[in-house]
């Protein structure tokens, strides 16, 4: 009699658009893992209840997306060093030790940029737009790549400043409001605000992108995002969405759950609109 598959899921709101079930199905087929992966819509304020119910039903692990990454940080019994630092969790592992929380977002972003796109982050001037859970998750891995500086910009300047102080021991990082960006130039601009959920981009000054500069949106879609279109209008040498990051961070989660590293390139290719 066949063994029942191990159960995993992604929780978020919204979540219907998520490609995570498809990604993990492809990983499972590639590596011969017996698992089932679902997308679960969770209402605001109900994350802890939903996660407990999922675990009680035999769930082995969860991915967490907007807006519950900080809720998952609170929910976890044990945090990895990078999740502790980020104050945000995108991966929960349910095992005998309890509920372990990790954050694979930054590793996914760095791997997509450096391995898939051949972009060296060392010595670069990086602008990170946003100071929420998505930004928190990518800061430590970005700073460990030794960029010249990372500027965090947010609509609420105080939030960006607080976040920069949290990571200031890892490198040259500062925080400010969008209006304070006038006259600054950056080699790489990373969009991590919630505006992308509404198909919008922050109101940004022109001429912020250095010659040959790149733009990277953590959001992804079948069409270029509003921020990608902004980057194209600014003459970016390259504009990218977050599909590669999504697959790479999922691979890190898969390895944490199953102890197996899947190949990401075929999965990214399979998911790209043709």
């Amino acid at each position: 009699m066949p063994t029942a598959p191990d159960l995993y899921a992604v929780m978020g709101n919204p979540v219907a658009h998520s490609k995570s079930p498809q990604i993990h199905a492809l990983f499972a087929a590639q590596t011969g893992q017996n698992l089932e992966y679902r997308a679960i819509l969770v209402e605001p304020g109900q994350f802890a209840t939903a996660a407990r119910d999922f675990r009680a039903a035999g769930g082995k692990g969860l991915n967490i997306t907007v807006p519950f990454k900080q809720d998952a940080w609170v929910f976890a019994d044990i945090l990895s060093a990078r999740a502790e630092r980020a104050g945000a969790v995108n991966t929960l592992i349910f095992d005998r030790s309890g509920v372990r929380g990790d954050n694979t977002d930054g590793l996914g972003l760095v791997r997509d940029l450096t391995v898939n796109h051949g972009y060296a982050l060392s010595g670069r001037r990086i602008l990170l737009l946003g100071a929420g859970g998505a930004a928190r998750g990518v800061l430590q891995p970005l700073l460990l790549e030794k960029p010249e500086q990372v500027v965090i910009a947010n609509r609420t300047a105080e939030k960006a400043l607080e976040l920069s102080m949290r990571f200031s021991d890892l490198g040259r990082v500062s925080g400010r409001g969008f209006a304070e960006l006038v006259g600054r130039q950056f080699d790489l601009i990373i969009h991590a605000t919630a505006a992308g959920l509404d198909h919008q981009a922050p109101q940004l000054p022109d001429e912020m992108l250095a010659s040959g500069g790149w733009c990277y949106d953590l959001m992804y879609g079948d069409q270029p995002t509003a921020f990608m279109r902004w980057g194209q209008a600014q003459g970016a040498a390259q504009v990218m969405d977050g599909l590669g990051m999504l697959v790479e961070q999922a691979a890190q989660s898969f390895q944490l759950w199953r102890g197996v590293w899947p190949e990401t390139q075929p999965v990214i290719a399979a998911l790209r609109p043709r």
Side-chain angles (χ1 to χ4, degrees):
M1 190 170 179
T3 306
D6 290 336
L7 185 59
Y8 299 88
V10 57
M11 287 186 174
N13 190 332
V15 78
H17 70 289
S18 176
K19 295 185 185 296
S20 292
Q22 188 178 356
I23 291 169
H24 284 278
L26 290 168
F27 286 166
Q30 180 193 117
T31 58
Q33 298 291 304
N34 184 25
L35 63 85
E36 179 184 336
Y37 190 106
R38 304 171 181 172
I40 300 174
L41 177 68
V42 177
E43 294 304 319
Q46 297 299 308
F47 174 77
T49 299
R52 277 194 296 268
D53 289 349
F54 181 80
R55 187 185 186 198
K60 300 291 188 181
L62 287 169
N63 284 135
I64 315 300
T65 188
V66 174
F68 299 118
K69 292 182 182 183
Q70 284 160 286
D71 298 81
W73 186 84
V74 173
F75 184 77
D77 301 322
I78 306 158
L79 293 167
S80 70
R82 58 191 174 223
E84 176 71 56
R85 169 76 74 145
V89 158
N90 80 329
T91 304
L92 290 173
I93 305 106
F94 303 139
D95 59 23
R96 292 176 184 174
S97 64
V99 179
R100 293 190 289 128
D102 209 330
N103 195 311
T104 66
D105 282 335
L107 298 173
L109 171 63
V110 167
R111 183 171 170 83
D112 191 38
L113 280 165
T114 59
V115 177
N116 297 336
H117 295 284
Y119 188 85
L121 291 161
S122 176
R124 305 286 190 177
R125 298 166 295 173
I126 300 174
L127 173 62
L128 179 62
L129 301 171
R136 285 170 173 266
V138 302
L139 264 169
Q140 181 179 9
L142 278 175
L143 286 165
L144 292 178
E145 293 293 311
K146 306 298 183 188
E148 179 183 317
Q149 62 173 310
V150 175
V151 173
I152 306 165
N154 194 59
R155 185 178 57 180
T156 306
E158 292 79 9
K159 199 173 177 184
L161 182 60
E162 181 275 327
L163 188 56
S164 71
M165 292 173 65
R166 186 181 183 116
F167 289 85
S168 60
D169 60 310
L170 296 181
R172 189 178 167 203
V173 56
S174 61
R176 62 198 63 209
F178 291 144
E180 300 172 79
L181 295 172
V182 175
R184 302 289 301 269
Q185 281 204 322
F186 301 93
D187 304 305
L188 172 65
I189 303 178
I190 299 170
H191 179 232
T193 80
L197 292 171
D198 298 320
H199 307 290
Q200 298 175 357
Q203 294 296 311
L204 300 171
D206 289 333
E207 300 178 355
M208 282 200 316
L209 198 59
S211 176
W214 287 28
C215 288
Y216 193 107
D217 197 337
L218 301 194
M219 299 295 293
Y220 61 90
D222 293 339
Q223 301 297 324
T225 66
F227 176 71
M228 291 171 69
R229 294 194 299 272
W230 178 87
Q232 290 167 339
Q234 296 295 313
Q238 182 120 337
V239 295
M240 293 158 286
D241 69 8
L243 180 63
M245 171 185 168
L246 176 73
V247 175
E248 294 294 346
Q249 65 80 25
Q252 300 275 348
S253 295
F254 192 87
Q255 193 276 334
L256 288 169
W257 292 330
R258 311 300 294 183
V260 178
W261 283 99
E263 291 293 327
T264 55
Q265 289 286 350
V267 177
I268 295 170
L271 294 177
R272 278 283 173 215
R274 287 174 173 78

